Amino acid sequence: MTEASASPDEARLGPDPASPASVTAVVGLLVLFELMSGFLQTGITPLLPELGEYHGVGDSALNWIVSVQLLAGAVMVPVFGRLGDLYGHRRMLRAAIAAVAAGTLLVALAPAFPVLLLGRVFQGALVALLPLEIALVRDRLPVEQARRAIARLVGALTLGSLLGAVVMGAAAKAVHSVQLVLLVPAFFALLCVPVSFLFIPESVQRAVGRLDRPGAVLLGLSLLSLLGGVSRVDHDGWVSAGVLLPLVLFAVLISVWVRTELRCAAPLVDLRAMKGRGVARLYLVSFFFGVMYFGSQSPNATFLAADPATDGYGFGLSALDISLVGLPGAVAALVTSGCTALIARHLGYRTTLMTAFGLMAAGFLGLGCLHDTVVETAIAVAVCGAGVGAALGAMPTVIVEATEPEHTGVASALYNNVKTVGGAVSGGLVATVLAAHTRSGGTTPYEGGYTTVWLLCAACGLAAIAAVAGHARGDGRVSALSLPRPGRRSAPAASRRGSPESPGTPTG
């Protein structure tokens, strides 16, 4: 429930509500932030092997560079979102950009690996930028203009993601210092801090209530326990006290958190969105998606960089070459995510989603079985990318359509969080698998470790297909999985789209 806003003029974006130029200028600033967000999210991937050498850590430990940022983001997204509802989305957008800038600078200047991980924690605020921007434009713009603005923001995020890996790879090739290369995104992020104080108006609508502090603390502590437990697996094994005790604590804390959120009038994460139509099964699919999408980034990079003369596998590729091998997958994801509505018009969302996960499973199976040449690897990555793009485009629609009408507003945010947690957990699992396939005292895994990771991702794809199929069989009512296709929506389904939805993106 929100308080009433002021006059109609105040409910429009920009200093001059009647001026299209002012609207374009303000949205253009938000586009800059999304370019930065996409750039930072993918730019570090081709640099992972060099970061491992610089900080003296093995391939398995590099997975924590991705996982720590995702775990932090899983807490920051609902916290920043709720604070934005209460105190203003522009205010929290500035705070998030400042946190990202500080974290990016810390990553670039980190004298040791733990300091780098601390910087990645601050960078977790990256995933809060797009939800805050979407809330801002929805508050200040009419529906149709807000939809166009959101499309621009998503497009900018995707473009930044494409540019990030290629530009950072090229910079690494030109400048043989990983710290100097990391100063490039740091400068970009720092530039966005003063820009965030230009022209952008504050949102008008305000929610009533207060931040669910117990929910935020419990969520943070539970994820920290999970991180602590999984991080010790490669050293102590699964049955050690150093692993089991944190995992048991995680189970207890997350159970208490769930009960707290269900009883709270204004919860940090509204778990009531998981009620109805067996939609919880779809959040399990989101978890599997996060495992595949995020869990493969680090091992793909370190495998491509491995020296075949000394390691017996890999291609000894530079950061630029690694980014170019991944480029077909990124382009394929961009194309299929943009064409999701067209594909679903002919196949339906259920078949589209199952096809997406089928492509991912096939791509990872191809990586596991055929990775002796760069061409084979690039083809498998492209197949995975096509599936990723289609899943990014279809999952939010499927989940919103399957959610009870009164909870559709929080369904997308909850999907985003579950996917992010899946990615964070996968980082720990991947680190464990690679460490288990590393010789004692060494830092480089055997080839079988990478094969195991890819086959596990393929198994997650098959499990996701089974979950989608099981949801469709278990749901007797109409949903996006069974019937609705763009252009032929039933009246009840169409009525749920009271707010503009954004297509899938790297941050969801």
Side-chain angles (χ1 to χ4, degrees), residues 134 204 312 333 394 409:
I134 289 176
V204 176

Side-chain angles (χ1 to χ4, degrees), residues 59-77:
D59 292 353
S60 61
L62 291 175
N63 291 280
W64 292 111
I65 294 179
V66 177
S67 294
V68 165
Q69 190 246 342
L70 292 173
L71 278 173
V75 179
M76 289 185 181
V77 167

Side-chain angles (χ1 to χ4, degrees), residues 181-360:
V181 173
L182 287 171
L183 286 175
V184 174
F187 175 78
F188 194 2
L190 288 169
L191 177 65
C192 288
V193 174
V195 171
S196 67
F197 286 84
L198 300 176
F199 305 117
I200 301 172
E202 184 58 275
S203 53
V204 176
Q205 302 290 338
R206 290 287 187 276
V208 297
R210 59 185 179 180
L211 176 67
D212 175 22
R213 290 185 178 88
V217 172
L218 285 169
L219 179 60
L221 290 177
S222 63
L223 293 180
L224 187 62
S225 300
L226 177 64
L227 176 64
V230 176
S231 66
R232 298 294 303 175
V233 172
D234 55 339
H235 297 289
D236 303 334
W238 281 102
V239 295
S240 66
V243 171
L244 292 180
L245 289 179
L247 292 182
V248 170
L249 180 60
F250 162 73
V252 172
L253 289 173
I254 203 70
S255 298
V256 174
W257 176 74
V258 169
R259 293 183 63 185
T260 301
E261 295 302 277
L262 290 176
R263 293 177 177 179
C264 183
L268 183 71
V269 179
D270 194 348
L271 299 177
R272 299 174 185 87
M274 299 181 72
K275 293 170 56 179
R277 303 191 179 188
V279 72
R281 187 187 295 265
L282 294 179
Y283 288 103
L284 178 62
V285 174
S286 303
F287 181 87
F288 288 139
F289 183 30
V291 171
M292 292 183 286
Y293 181 45
F294 295 110
S296 61
Q297 292 179 2
S298 176
N300 284 2
T302 54
F303 177 86
L304 292 170
D307 186 353
T310 58
D311 302 325
Y313 60 86
F315 312 105
L317 300 185
S318 66
L320 177 60
D321 294 332
I322 291 172
S323 64
L324 292 177
V325 171
L327 189 59
V331 173
L334 176 62
V335 171
T336 54
S337 64
C339 296
T340 299
L342 178 62
I343 297 171
R345 183 177 297 123
H346 297 283
L347 300 180
Y349 274 100
R350 174 177 177 269
T351 304
T352 299
L353 198 55
M354 294 177 70
T355 302
F357 287 116
L359 287 171
M360 280 186 274

Side-chain angles (χ1 to χ4, degrees), residues 39 42-43 46 160-172 319-320 323-324 326-327 330:
F39 194 96
T42 61
S161 301
L162 286 174
L163 292 175
V166 176
V167 171
M168 293 294 282
L320 177 60
S323 64
L324 292 177
L327 189 59

